[in-house]
Amino acid sequence: MFLLVLLVAALSVPASDWAESRGPARDGISLEKSLPVKWSPAGDNLTWKAPYGGRSGPIVLNDRVYLQNTAGKGESEQERVMCFNADTGKLLWEHRFNVFLSDVPPHRVGWA
C-alpha cells in the first residue's frame, strides 16, 4: 500500500518541479524537453542568478525556487530559507531562524 501511495505521489508531481534530491525520480534526470545542452555563469543559457549560496540543492515547486543558507556573521549568524520567483529570480520572501543545536562550526554542518 505504501508503495502505491508513493508511486501515485510521484506521478502527480509536474515535470517542472524538482522537489527531491536529484529530481522527481531521484536519478538526476529531468523529464523536461528541449533543455539547454550547456550553460555558464557568464550568461550562456542563464535565465537569472542571485548572490546567494546554499547549504543544499535548490528545490523547485510551483514556479518557486527555495534555497537554504545562512545570514549574518559570528554571534548574529542565523539559518535562512529563501523563496524566489522561478521565472524572474525576484526574492519573494525569506525566513530567518536561530539554530542552537551544535557547537560545530556552521560551515561544517549540513542542515539539508
Side-chain angles (χ1 to χ4, degrees), residues 2 6 25 37 58 60 64 71 91 94 108 110:
F2 177 72
L6 195 61
V37 177
V60 181
R64 301 288 185 259
L91 177 64
E94 73 175 61
R108 298 191 54 199

Side-chain angles (χ1 to χ4, degrees), residues 4-103:
L4 179 62
V5 170
L6 195 61
L7 181 60
V8 170
L11 292 175
S12 66
V13 175
S16 60
D17 285 350
W18 197 268
E20 297 284 340
S21 175
R22 302 196 66 222
R26 295 183 178 178
D27 59 3
I29 298 172
S30 173
L31 301 176
E32 295 291 318
K33 304 295 182 213
S34 302
L35 293 174
V37 177
K38 63 180 182 168
W39 69 275
S40 75
D44 189 26
N45 289 314
L46 185 67
T47 302
W48 58 267
K49 61 182 176 179
Y52 308 102
R55 287 202 186 275
S56 60
I59 298 296
V60 181
L61 285 171
N62 300 323
D63 298 321
R64 301 288 185 259
V65 176
Y66 300 90
L67 291 179
Q68 179 183 1
N69 56 23
T70 58
K73 298 277 185 202
E75 293 176 356
S76 66
E77 187 174 52
Q78 296 175 295
E79 291 293 314
R80 169 172 65 179
V81 177
M82 305 175 80
C83 177
F84 299 86
N85 178 293
D87 295 324
T88 66
K90 178 183 176 188
L91 177 64
L92 301 174
W93 56 261
E94 73 175 61
H95 176 71
R96 295 180 183 202
F97 53 97
N98 296 322
V99 178
F100 300 108
L101 302 176
S102 173
D103 59 358

